[in-house]
Amino acid sequence: MPASSARRRARQLARHGTSDPATPALVCPLVLAQAAEIEALPAGHFLTDPTKLANGLRALHGAFGTDVIVTAVADDLAASSLAACSPAAAAAGTAGHPAAAVTGHPRVAAAVEATRRLAVTAEDAALAAALCGPAQLAAQLGRPPADPAVLEECGAALLALAKAFLEAGAHLLLVVEAGPVAREAADGWRSAVTPLVNVARFRQAAAAVVLADPADAALAPRGAVVCLPPPAAGPGQGIALAVDPAAWRAPPAEVPLITSLGPVRGGFAECRAAVGQLTAALTEG
């Protein structure tokens, strides 16, 4: 594949919601913390230093040979940024204009700046930002994940983060729900996630909704690639791998996107071996 193929495939996902069956899937496991091992830094230092973060992620991309560099991995980034706000700032931020409340956090600022730098220097890779979904964010904050008002507030905070990453040059936005969405929360959840998909499409980036529960696929907004755990994924849908790489198996053919249901666990060596086996299986297939 030519160097630009990953970004070209991301653009195709953005335009059509699927990929050309003749091209391989975009391989996008949510690996990031493993790059701290390359830089030999504690995670806290690594994640708040945009230079170290960009360099480590570029090196991780080279070592793993993946298509995508992931600068946010659907961990506690959004919850940490909201928790760090003063009560007054957080209340003001989640009442319709959360940008200043969430994007000023050191981890957010570093990740967004790393995205901006990699958009220029890592032309052989597509760039992805994965954010936890509104229900997961609510649970992380200790708030009821089925409350429509809470979901709306969480969606507003996630929208501010999504805009920051997309404006910095991300080609792919993933919204990850690592647990089922409560049935009574379906309408509120969809209302919170739809603007995230819409802003990605407005920025000509691909959007994916990554779901642990296949029953939630019907809630995904139009225009988003739906990723489900195997073997639940159907034709044209993406694969959501387990966060434990030891559980990974070769995906079916003609899958547009392969990601994970949250940050991949394990150290650098373990993850590198698992990603290598995954990409080799795709190549052989």
Side-chain angles (χ1 to χ4, degrees):
M1 287 287 172
S4 63
S5 64
R7 294 191 180 187
R8 187 178 67 246
R9 283 180 281 158
R11 286 194 294 269
Q12 184 169 4
L13 276 181
R15 293 189 187 113
H16 306 297
T18 187
S19 59
D20 184 340
T23 61
L26 277 175
V27 179
C28 181
L30 302 184
V31 289
L32 187 154
Q34 292 79 9
E37 292 186 46
I38 297 175
E39 293 295 311
L41 287 173
H45 184 182
F46 176 71
L47 294 174
T48 55
D49 185 322
T51 299
K52 296 293 186 184
L53 184 58
N55 291 343
L57 290 175
R58 188 72 177 93
L60 191 72
H61 165 67
F64 283 15
T66 51
D67 302 307
V68 184
I69 296 176
V70 185
T71 56
V73 291
D75 54 10
D76 62 347
L77 179 67
S80 296
S81 63
L82 285 173
C85 299
S86 68
T94 56
H97 188 67
V102 297
T103 58
H105 188 273
R107 274 188 60 195
V108 175
V112 170
E113 178 58 24
T115 304
R116 184 173 291 109
R117 296 181 188 184
L118 289 166
V120 177
T121 62
E123 295 183 357
D124 57 334
L127 303 177
L131 304 174
C132 62
Q136 186 172 334
L137 176 56
Q140 289 174 344
L141 294 170
R143 305 189 67 189
D147 185 324
V150 171
L151 290 172
E152 181 180 1
E153 292 176 8
C154 289
L158 292 170
L159 182 60
L161 287 173
K163 287 179 177 178
F165 281 105
L166 292 165
E167 290 169 3
H171 307 99
L172 175 62
L173 177 71
L174 301 98
V175 181
V176 182
E177 288 288 4
V181 177
R183 295 300 94 195
E184 64 271 24
D187 291 341
W189 186 88
R190 194 201 308 263
S191 294
V193 172
T194 297
L196 302 176
V197 174
N198 288 345
V199 74
R201 299 188 72 192
F202 176 77
R203 301 288 305 188
Q204 299 183 331
V209 178
V210 185
L211 301 167
D213 188 348
D216 294 333
L219 304 180
R222 290 188 62 185
V225 177
V226 176
C227 298
L228 299 173
Q237 293 180 324
I239 296 294
L241 299 169
V243 296
D244 178 4
W248 294 358
R249 300 293 181 267
E254 298 183 9
V255 172
L257 177 65
I258 300 171
T259 186
S260 56
L261 271 170
V264 176
R265 298 173 186 161
F268 173 86
E270 177 187 0
C271 291
R272 182 181 184 182
V275 170
Q277 291 174 357
L278 178 65
T279 53
L282 288 169
T283 302
E284 293 168 2

